[in-house]
Amino acid sequence: MIVPAATDVCIVGAGAAGLMAAVAAGRALRANGASGSIVALDGARTLGAKILVAGGGRCNVTHWRVTEAEYAVNRPAVRSVLRRFGADETVNFFNDLGVELKREETGKLFPVTDSARTVLNALLRAVDDVGASIVHPARVTGINRGAQGFTISGEWGSMRATRVILATGGMALPRSGSDGAGYEFAKSLGHSLTPAIRPALVPLTLPSGHWITELSGLTVHAELVLRGPTGKRLVHFANSTLCTHFGLSGPSVLDISRYLLDARDREPGTTLILNWMPGESADATDAWLLASKGRGLLGVLRERLPERLSRAILTQARLAHDATVQQTPRESRRTLVELLVATELPIQGDRGFTYAEVTAGGVPIDEVDLGTMESLTCPGLSLCGEVLDVDGRIGGFNFQWAWATGWIAGQAAARAIAPIAESNN
Ligand SMILES: Cc1cc2nc3c(=O)[nH]c(=O)nc-3n(C[C@H](O)[C@H](O)[C@H](O)COP(=O)(O)OP(=O)(O)OC[C@H]3O[C@@H](n4cnc5c(N)ncnc54)[C@H](O)[C@@H]3O)c2cc1C
């Protein structure tokens, strides 16, 4: 590991956004015959850890249709960024690197190889091809701005840079190297941070011994609904839901987690409701039960739900499994219906950044120029990826944000050191 004494562009963090920024900056320079050096520093021993674990090792690179509606906050800013570099640009970019993407039923795009390694290797090759270098492990501990540009330092020494692109990610999966250090750098360079920085896309915990934890390993298609204190539906997700020994996980739970955690702070009295029969109302479910005359309730529930879940729900409703609907008192039937379509979840908390896929919060987006991703408080500094206050739902939207902002930041940094035209490839 040898860190050069000086560079034109220093990218701090070589994850999804940083690698993209390196390629974009290098291509912009080369396309215009300009010279300039680009060095990416990363603290991790293994590069691209998050790319490699993403999508269960297959890397859900983006989604066939990405709009700002898939992001939880700052949608106008997301729209503006996606107009510059959206899903089509991502697909073309990876195709150009020889990574063909396929669309799955859910709309998610994966490499046809079903291997995240294809994505990471292609990015690393592309960085090399444009003449940028990556030095690692080289953890950065300080970034200072002086009259002559920036000094980036770490245990390895220090390096001067004309421009810095901060691509340190958030705090999710800290063992990958993203532990929130970037927030401190941003603050030291004049930025603020959102009042809360929380795990998002994170599993949720229930009180120990809660009946759902007894169903550990069970996966069902269910709907989660976040209700405000007045009962108003605030947000809902219907998708695969996994019961675990600690509580709940799976796409629907991960997707709703950031809304629940956020609402809990801002709006006490919000509740999380689970509908085990998505799309069914209490009235329709009651009518379905009433139509089951003469049959044992366990058999009836099993038509729609897994046996383990059916048994657990009947036990919770204190109903004999072989009781028929006629033998069931009206009050018990009401309890059963409520459990089926509106189980209230006494969520205790979340599994924290260690198990989160992304971070909610970060550097406010209105502190950067969206056309260049350059800081509005610190000239010469750009920010991209998860260090910014943008997070999306499951489906490739978070990588899309990293690719898009990395691209814009890299291109703009190159233009700043060697004024050249904007390009899209
Ligand atoms: C388990 C898991 C699965 C995921 N699956 C998907 C998916 O399939 N699709 C999707 O869209 N999103 C997915 N995500 C989210 C996605 O990985 C992130 O949104 C994305 O990686 C953010 O990119 P980034 O470059 O901003 O940050 P990161 O990818 O976190 O990269 C930041 C880099 O900065 C380096 N760094 C941090 N601090 C320092 C420092 N002080 N000095 C030097 N280097 C530093 C880190 O080592 C790291 O390499 C997943 C996340 C996780 C945890």
Side-chain angles (χ1 to χ4, degrees), residues 12-18 41-44 47-48 50-51 53-56 59-62 110 138-141 167-170 172-173 176-179 181-182 185 356-358 384-387 395-400 402:
V12 183
L41 302 176
D42 200 292
L47 283 180
K50 271 193 205 170
I51 294 175
V53 298
C59 191
N60 172 200
V61 173
T62 187
F110 290 89
R139 187 170 170 75
V140 172
T141 53
T168 40
L173 198 68
S176 68
S178 318
D179 58 2
F185 301 145
E357 291 201 2
V358 285
C384 55
E386 200 175 312
V387 72
F397 305 104
N398 290 297
F399 272 139
Q400 179 60 44

Side-chain angles (χ1 to χ4, degrees), residues 50-210:
K50 271 193 205 170
I51 294 175
L52 292 177
V53 298
R58 296 195 303 137
C59 191
N60 172 200
V61 173
T62 187
H63 196 273
W64 82 277
R65 186 163 179 273
V66 184
T67 72
E68 67 275 14
E70 315 300 346
Y71 296 83
V73 285
N74 293 316
R75 290 178 178 163
V78 173
R79 182 170 58 238
S80 158
V81 163
L82 292 174
R83 263 205 306 261
R84 292 184 165 82
F85 197 95
D88 288 349
E89 282 74 18
T90 299
V91 171
N92 291 340
F93 173 83
F94 280 103
N95 267 338
D96 191 47
L97 299 189
V99 181
E100 197 188 330
L101 301 177
K102 61 173 175 182
R103 174 177 155 184
E104 300 206 333
E105 254 176 40
T106 52
K108 295 177 181 178
L109 301 190
F110 290 89
V112 292
T113 57
D114 278 329
S115 167
R117 177 64 66 185
T118 314
V119 175
L120 179 60
N121 286 353
L123 282 166
L124 294 175
R125 246 190 343 262
V127 171
D128 200 43
D129 285 349
V130 298
S133 49
I134 305 174
V135 186
H136 77 106
R139 187 170 170 75
V140 172
T141 53
I143 306 176
N144 295 297
R145 191 171 194 288
Q148 305 301 317
F150 295 87
T151 305
I152 299 99
S153 50
E155 273 182 13
W156 39 269
S158 68
M159 178 171 75
R160 282 175 289 106
T162 313
R163 299 190 67 88
V164 168
I165 298 178
L166 191 61
T168 40
M171 290 173 72
L173 198 68
R175 69 184 158 83
S176 68
S178 318
D179 58 2
Y183 299 132
E184 295 313 311
F185 301 145
K187 256 170 51 183
S188 74
L189 294 166
H191 282 281
S192 66
L193 297 177
T194 53
I197 295 185
R198 294 196 193 86
L201 301 185
V202 65
L204 297 172
T205 58
L206 287 165
S208 140
H210 187 276

